[in-house]
Amino acid sequence: MQYNTSSRVEPWFRDLHPDFSLSDPYRKIHTLVVENYVELGQLAALRFLEWVCLNPGGIIALPTGKTPEFFIKWVLYYLENWAKELNNGILARIGFRPGIRPDLKSLYFFQLDEFFPINPEHERSFTYFVRKFYLEGFGLDAKKARLINTFELTEHQQKSIGNIATLDRVFTDGIIDLTLRIKKPTSEKELLKQKTIRIFDQFCQDYEEDIRAKGGIGFFMGGIGPDGHVAFNVRGSSHHSHTRLTNINYETQAAAAADLGGIEGVRKKAVITIGLETITFNPAAVAIILAAGQSKADVVARALEKEASLEDPASSLQKLPCARFFITQSAAASLTLGEKNTILLFEQKKLPDTFPEKLLMEECERSAIALREIPRMYKDPANSLPDTLRIASQLSQKPVTALAEDVVKQLAGKIEKGLALYGNERFLHTAPHHDDIELAYFPLLHHLVRSATIENHFCYCTSGFTAVTNQYVLDCLEYLMKLLSSGDLEKSKSFSSLAEADKGQDDITGYLNGIALQDMEMQHFHRAARLTRLFFQDLKSDDPKNLYTFLSDLVTLLKTIEPGRKEPELVQTIKGWLREFEAELVWAHFGIDMDHVSHLRLHFYSGDIFPEYPDFDQDVMPIVRLLERIKPTVVTLALDPEGSGPDTHYKTLIAIAEAIDKYMDTHADKKIRIWGYRNVWSRWQLHEVNTIIPVSLNSFAVLHNMFTSCFQSQKSASFPSYELDGTFSELAQKIWVEQHNQLVNLLGKEYFYDSTSPMLRRAYGAIFLKDMSYDEFTESMIPVRNLLKAKEKLKPDD
């Protein structure tokens, strides 16, 4: 089937952002770069609507999950405001034809992928997403939509397996063993599973043939995963792959864990996905990959600049003339710029002043040489410089030997700053989640809490309930019920004070005594005591019999909730209680009591697929009031780049930044510094930071001990990073060691091992921080403010 692939949207946006066009020769797929993910959604929406106007009755496939949030919002905005925008808005400026409106009901829709099995009514199933946002939201014709139902069997399918209607009756243990396709079943149960797998293999074959019979997908839009996957075509997928029932790799499982209530359940599942050749079957297809955030930068660069490879599934799109990558500036961070473009962007201040240092250090790492070797290697003018060093020298307007010497001094200065003991300070350590501070700079806190002149306060902005599994809550509640039914809780010395909310420090002390005695039962008892205290307060009753009855009903309810589904607010509250208790335990290790730990439970944080952005009264003002009470001289915060890791980090940053602005409006005389940190969700590059803290092996041991002792809800790593199949404390150590090795390679081993500083000689890790004045912080927030301005355009006119 032929499609009209012409576009006025793409050149219009290219003219808005021409900065990367000089680098087009380096890319094998046409790429448009915009400032942020709100504008990315706008570009994607306009290109989609343009294609629909030109191709009524066409075949489309659209993404699910968090990636298309602003694509969906912009499409809805333009559909609601079509006449206005066509008369005197962006549609008119781009050149959309008057009198033509996109006919979405004429389109044929094919779902990209789905977990196997999953109930289509599950809020995090892709089928549910399609029905809610595309069929109902966009108004697509449900009769022309082909969905992937991996739960309910048709009448015809049921006949071949004994009239079983749903897959939960087939895979009762939740485990999908696809080897049953070829091995001999050893039981009636295995035979039933084998027949069901073969039914869905046939479904996939029919699905593929249906797409091809209609001429193939005309408009495809998808995201790109941490391993470069497109739909569920993970690393290693054949570029000739078709629609199929298959397994997924660890990286993809980790990315899906938050949606399905923990990786434990995801590991059991298989998936159905269209293939890479399904996407590229029609050579006239417009195939668009959306990517936002620095965490996607490397996989984007590989797909765009390397030859097509099984290691990079998105590179399969290189064969399509109308393939496109629509990406944000942060997702473009690893792209080759070329000399002309680098110089142009640097002169326009669109690259940081430290960019020459970045180029120099990257060349050292690529060539496996230390910075101190640069002067010796390139002292002789006859030795030609690599292009990277030549550009770095040109940008810095210094000989490369002098630049290398400067970078050595700068790195040494950053380390010396990290070694200095900070005195006479009042810290407000803030975090989106309850383990963010610990995983970012826990070893540094060993020094801060020991100083008599430093005051430390800790603030957790959200309740963090999404990081706690239903099973963990069940374990905690059933243990408490056991204490209540046996009478052990009432007989304990603690019971008489459990009705007093202000005695929560007793629970912490008891738990820490349990850690000291290596008594797990004692730890579990005092966690149960904290829950009892909170339940007594919430229920306004201290009757243990009433509590037991209440818990019995609650446990029964919890057991009916499928992992990943949105829970009742009470369950979310209990999960938050458990997380808050864990965080209080951490700082009690250092003698910091509950009155120095604040739990704000900001309103924007929710279990919705597209959570709200911070509200001034509900989310910003609580932080302002905390700033007014503490009057900190240093505020630490998660300064993650746009679109990397959990959305919560970026939205918390928005709320804190606005609160600091409000606070400084009335306290302009106060000097306040901002420490920006990153942890397991994103990393600083060395040229971006100005403070480096050496980390010892002992600090690693203390971190692991603290994490496994206090963060019981996280020990199983139910919501892990795609980078490591293990606990977050292990990943933090891995990152810190890699950062230290980077420094050793740049400065040479002698810098550390021959140092007069014991902290440098014993260092095996390094923590990176960005220490800023308020004005510097304000400057760093310009991209965030631009994003919020772009988002404001979505609001209807008053």
Side-chain angles (χ1 to χ4, degrees), residues 439 679-681 683 703-704 720-738:
L439 297 170
N679 53 32
V680 296
W681 296 111
R683 305 182 190 185
L703 173 69
H704 288 308
S721 164
Y722 67 87
E723 291 188 65
L724 181 74
D725 190 358
T727 64
F728 283 131
S729 58
E730 293 172 312
L731 180 55
Q733 176 175 334
K734 177 177 178 286
I735 292 170
W736 295 341
V737 170
E738 289 173 355

Side-chain angles (χ1 to χ4, degrees), residues 570-587:
L570 175 61
V571 175
Q572 295 177 354
T573 298
I574 296 168
K575 290 182 174 183
W577 289 347
L578 291 166
R579 291 289 272 154
E580 290 167 359
F581 183 56
E582 291 174 340
E584 291 165 5
L585 292 171
V586 173
W587 308 124

Side-chain angles (χ1 to χ4, degrees), residues 12 87 90 171-172 216 267 359 398 430 452 455 510 584 624 711:
W12 195 84
N87 180 52
I90 194 171
F171 300 99
T172 53
R267 287 188 198 275
L359 293 177
K398 295 178 182 178
T430 74
E455 187 177 332
E584 291 165 5
V624 174
F711 288 105

Side-chain angles (χ1 to χ4, degrees), residues 469-593:
T469 64
N470 290 0
Q471 186 58 53
Y472 182 75
V473 177
L474 278 170
D475 291 343
C476 293
L477 297 183
E478 288 176 341
Y479 179 83
L480 174 53
M481 290 175 65
K482 185 179 76 170
L483 292 180
L484 289 168
S485 64
S486 67
D488 289 346
L489 187 62
E490 287 184 80
K491 295 172 189 173
S492 70
K493 295 179 182 178
S494 305
F495 184 77
S496 60
S497 70
L498 292 183
E500 301 177 55
D502 60 352
K503 293 290 183 67
Q505 193 68 40
D506 295 347
D507 311 322
I508 295 171
T509 303
Y511 191 101
L512 294 186
N513 282 334
I515 293 176
L517 292 168
Q518 301 181 59
D519 186 338
M520 287 297 297
E521 186 69 19
M522 191 173 183
Q523 295 170 45
H524 292 163
F525 178 89
H526 287 283
R527 181 184 60 201
R530 169 58 69 90
L531 284 175
T532 303
R533 190 183 307 278
L534 293 166
F535 275 123
F536 280 172
Q537 183 181 0
D538 194 65
L539 298 173
K540 296 180 174 56
S541 167
D542 59 0
D543 184 339
K545 291 182 180 178
N546 288 346
L547 177 56
Y548 183 89
T549 301
F550 177 81
L551 292 177
S552 180
D553 292 341
L554 183 57
V555 165
T556 300
L557 171 65
L558 255 176
K559 288 180 177 178
T560 66
I561 299 175
E562 190 176 355
R565 282 188 179 271
K566 192 171 182 178
E567 314 100 348
E569 188 175 338
L570 175 61
V571 175
Q572 295 177 354
T573 298
I574 296 168
K575 290 182 174 183
W577 289 347
L578 291 166
R579 291 289 272 154
E580 290 167 359
F581 183 56
E582 291 174 340
E584 291 165 5
L585 292 171
V586 173
W587 308 124
H589 274 68
F590 299 118
I592 297 172
D593 291 343

Side-chain angles (χ1 to χ4, degrees), residues 115-120 122 149-153 158 161 163-176 189 192-193 196 200 269 560 562-563 565:
F115 296 104
F116 181 93
I118 191 169
N119 191 322
H122 191 299
N149 188 332
T150 63
F151 186 74
E152 299 159 330
L153 293 157
Q158 289 178 37
I161 58 170
N163 295 319
I164 294 174
T166 56
L167 265 62
D168 59 339
R169 293 179 57 195
V170 177
F171 300 99
T172 53
D173 56 4
I175 298 173
I176 312 300
K189 191 68 178 174
L192 176 61
K193 289 181 178 182
T196 305
F200 278 89
K269 291 186 183 295
T560 66
E562 190 176 355
R565 282 188 179 271

Side-chain angles (χ1 to χ4, degrees), residues 371-540:
L371 285 165
R372 295 182 187 279
E373 296 179 69
I374 294 287
R376 176 181 58 78
M377 293 180 65
Y378 298 107
K379 187 175 183 180
D380 185 350
N383 291 342
S384 59
L385 292 172
D387 287 345
T388 307
L389 295 185
R390 182 173 50 76
I391 295 170
S393 177
Q394 184 174 349
L395 295 181
S396 65
Q397 298 182 342
K398 295 178 182 178
V400 71
T401 54
L403 178 61
E405 291 171 355
D406 285 351
V407 174
V408 169
K409 291 176 184 176
Q410 290 166 8
L411 291 178
K414 295 175 183 181
I415 294 170
E416 288 169 9
K417 185 174 181 180
L419 289 170
L421 183 64
Y422 296 87
N424 300 309
E425 301 283 7
R426 188 180 299 110
F427 279 85
L428 175 58
H429 306 273
T430 74
H433 304 94
H434 297 80
D435 53 6
D436 284 325
I437 295 168
E438 296 85 337
L439 297 170
Y441 58 99
F442 188 69
L444 173 60
L445 281 155
H446 292 190
H447 305 291
L448 298 182
V449 298
R450 289 171 183 160
S451 171
T453 64
I454 291 178
E455 187 177 332
N456 291 282
H457 296 262
F458 299 89
C459 165
Y460 296 99
C461 294
T462 74
S463 70
F465 67 83
T466 59
V468 182
T469 64
N470 290 0
Q471 186 58 53
Y472 182 75
V473 177
L474 278 170
D475 291 343
C476 293
L477 297 183
E478 288 176 341
Y479 179 83
L480 174 53
M481 290 175 65
K482 185 179 76 170
L483 292 180
L484 289 168
S485 64
S486 67
D488 289 346
L489 187 62
E490 287 184 80
K491 295 172 189 173
S492 70
K493 295 179 182 178
S494 305
F495 184 77
S496 60
S497 70
L498 292 183
E500 301 177 55
D502 60 352
K503 293 290 183 67
Q505 193 68 40
D506 295 347
D507 311 322
I508 295 171
T509 303
Y511 191 101
L512 294 186
N513 282 334
I515 293 176
L517 292 168
Q518 301 181 59
D519 186 338
M520 287 297 297
E521 186 69 19
M522 191 173 183
Q523 295 170 45
H524 292 163
F525 178 89
H526 287 283
R527 181 184 60 201
R530 169 58 69 90
L531 284 175
T532 303
R533 190 183 307 278
L534 293 166
F535 275 123
F536 280 172
Q537 183 181 0
D538 194 65
L539 298 173
K540 296 180 174 56

